Amino acid sequence: KSAFQIGIIATSLLAFIFFSSTKIALPFAQSIPDDVRYLGIWVNSTLATAMLCGGVYAIHRESTGQNEISRALRTAVRNNQLELHFQPQVDNGRQIIGAEALLRWKHPQRGYIPPADFIPIAEECGLMPLIGGWVLKEACRTLALWKEDPVLAELTLAVNVSAKQFNVDGFEQSVLDTVKLFRIDPAKLKLELTESVIISGVEPVVAKMNALRTSGIEFALDDFGTGYSSLSYLRQLPVSQLKIDRSFVQESLESPGGASLIKSIVRMGLDLDLTVLAEGIESATQHLFLLDCGCHEFQGYYFGRPVPDAEFKSQITKAAQGSTRHPTLSQTAVR
């Protein structure tokens, strides 16, 4: 990437020097004295060299910053600086049926670093298989602990899997080995994939997914509508859940087009016999609209923010008080 950027900068500057130092001109252009031309050549060359050096320095700074974060992330995995936070997922009766595990990085000096600041760099540096493996292991460890708690035992846990992690050779076997290691019910684990996972081809992706589905693990298609959004591949992928991206939820009440898009996605999910979950819900109005559209499940700040495991357990325990079924959000202030 850096070499390509430097090549573009160098090519542009060489073209600048060439056209400023040659006698190529339009027919109506007026010539300038040679002494002025020679001075201009030196000035242009100096400026071009300075711009090139500045561009190289900026690229070097960017590359160095990414390398530092890359090294810090590797250290974070070794030194247990990464954490999982949990955000509740509810059904259309506001009963808590599961949670999504969300990665957080607690840096010893900088505190919590937003995922948007390090996930893209981890993707570029090829660290997602390493980090994703840690997340999967911790998620299974969490499910093993939840299994011993009657309030939490029935909850499912959704885990994000990047395309690079999923496409690593032997990914499916590593998941099965982790599930076996912690002796959890595979049906409680849900893997969330984005549409970018099919970049390597639909057939190998389907083969891996089927190998995991055989054990009971379910799949959700995350951020639907932000990528390829092809109905043909959606019908081929063995997913059980469709997640509507938060950007569409935010637009659903802002324009007729946004509302129509949500209705179309929900209808598509229902026609394919998929569970439809809307994420990013922040208000009662959004919730009621999506409920009316036919969504089955919901997630967002309106129902609860991502919190550490201990706080999540406390919220669920309070929500379960007085309930004979699943914990219900109407019985506690989760927000």
Side-chain angles (χ1 to χ4, degrees), residues 1-6 9 54-64:
K1 178 182 176 181
S2 296
F4 177 75
Q5 291 175 326
I6 292 174
I9 294 173
V56 171
Y57 176 73
I59 294 172
H60 174 70
R61 284 283 302 272
E62 178 184 354
S63 177
T64 301

Coordinates of all heavy atoms in Angstrom, one line a residue, residues 1-6 9 54-64:
K1 N 0.8 -1.2 0.0 CA 0.0 0.0 0.0 C 0.9 1.3 0.0 O 0.7 2.2 -0.8 CB -0.9 0.0 1.2 CG -1.8 1.3 1.3 CD -2.6 1.2 2.6 CE -3.4 2.5 2.8 NZ -4.2 2.5 4.0
S2 N 1.9 1.3 0.9 CA 2.8 2.5 1.0 C 3.5 2.7 -0.3 O 3.7 3.8 -0.8 CB 3.7 2.3 2.2 OG 3.0 2.3 3.4
A3 N 4.0 1.6 -0.9 CA 4.8 1.7 -2.2 C 3.9 2.2 -3.3 O 4.4 3.0 -4.1 CB 5.3 0.3 -2.5
F4 N 2.7 1.8 -3.3 CA 1.7 2.3 -4.3 C 1.5 3.8 -4.1 O 1.5 4.6 -5.1 CB 0.4 1.6 -4.2 CG -0.6 2.1 -5.2 CD1 -0.6 1.8 -6.5 CD2 -1.7 2.8 -4.7 CE1 -1.5 2.2 -7.4 CE2 -2.7 3.3 -5.6 CZ -2.6 3.0 -6.9
Q5 N 1.3 4.2 -2.9 CA 1.1 5.7 -2.6 C 2.3 6.5 -3.0 O 2.2 7.6 -3.6 CB 0.8 5.8 -1.1 CG -0.5 5.3 -0.7 CD -0.7 5.4 0.8 OE1 0.2 5.2 1.6 NE2 -2.0 5.6 1.3
I6 N 3.5 6.0 -2.7 CA 4.7 6.7 -3.0 C 4.9 6.8 -4.5 O 5.3 7.8 -5.1 CB 6.0 6.0 -2.4 CG1 6.0 6.2 -0.9 CG2 7.3 6.6 -3.0 CD1 7.0 5.4 -0.2
I9 N 2.6 9.5 -5.9 CA 3.1 10.8 -5.6 C 4.3 11.2 -6.5 O 4.4 12.3 -7.1 CB 3.6 10.9 -4.1 CG1 2.4 10.8 -3.2 CG2 4.4 12.2 -3.8 CD1 2.8 10.7 -1.7
G54 N 7.9 15.2 1.9 CA 6.8 15.4 2.8 C 5.8 14.2 2.7 O 5.3 13.7 3.7
G55 N 5.5 13.8 1.5 CA 4.6 12.7 1.3 C 5.1 11.4 1.8 O 4.4 10.7 2.4
V56 N 6.4 11.2 1.5 CA 7.1 10.0 2.0 C 7.1 9.9 3.6 O 6.8 8.9 4.2 CB 8.5 9.8 1.5 CG1 9.2 8.7 2.2 CG2 8.5 9.6 0.0
Y57 N 7.4 11.1 4.2 CA 7.4 11.2 5.6 C 6.0 10.9 6.2 O 5.8 10.2 7.2 CB 7.8 12.6 6.1 CG 7.8 12.8 7.6 CD1 8.7 12.2 8.4 CD2 6.8 13.7 8.1 CE1 8.7 12.4 9.8 CE2 6.8 13.9 9.5 CZ 7.7 13.2 10.3 OH 7.6 13.4 11.7
A58 N 4.9 11.5 5.6 CA 3.6 11.3 6.1 C 3.2 9.8 6.0 O 2.6 9.3 6.9 CB 2.6 12.1 5.3
I59 N 3.6 9.2 4.9 CA 3.2 7.7 4.7 C 4.0 6.9 5.8 O 3.5 6.0 6.3 CB 3.6 7.3 3.3 CG1 2.7 8.0 2.3 CG2 3.5 5.8 3.2 CD1 3.0 7.7 0.8
H60 N 5.3 7.3 6.0 CA 6.1 6.6 7.0 C 5.5 6.8 8.4 O 5.4 5.8 9.1 CB 7.5 7.2 7.0 CG 8.4 6.6 8.1 ND1 8.8 5.3 8.1 CD2 8.8 7.2 9.2 CE1 9.5 5.1 9.2 NE2 9.6 6.2 9.9
R61 N 5.0 8.0 8.7 CA 4.3 8.2 10.0 C 3.1 7.3 10.1 O 2.9 6.7 11.2 CB 3.9 9.7 10.1 CG 5.1 10.6 10.5 CD 5.5 10.5 11.9 NE 4.3 10.8 12.8 CZ 4.0 12.0 13.2 NH1 4.7 13.1 12.9 NH2 3.0 12.2 14.0
E62 N 2.3 7.2 9.1 CA 1.1 6.4 9.1 C 1.4 5.0 9.3 O 0.8 4.2 10.1 CB 0.3 6.6 7.8 CG -1.0 5.8 7.7 CD -1.7 5.9 6.4 OE1 -1.3 6.7 5.6 OE2 -2.7 5.1 6.2
S63 N 2.4 4.5 8.5 CA 2.8 3.1 8.6 C 3.4 2.8 10.0 O 3.1 1.7 10.6 CB 3.9 2.8 7.5 OG 4.4 1.5 7.7
T64 N 4.2 3.7 10.5 CA 4.8 3.5 11.9 C 3.7 3.4 12.9 O 3.7 2.6 13.8 CB 5.7 4.6 12.2 OG1 6.8 4.7 11.2 CG2 6.3 4.4 13.6

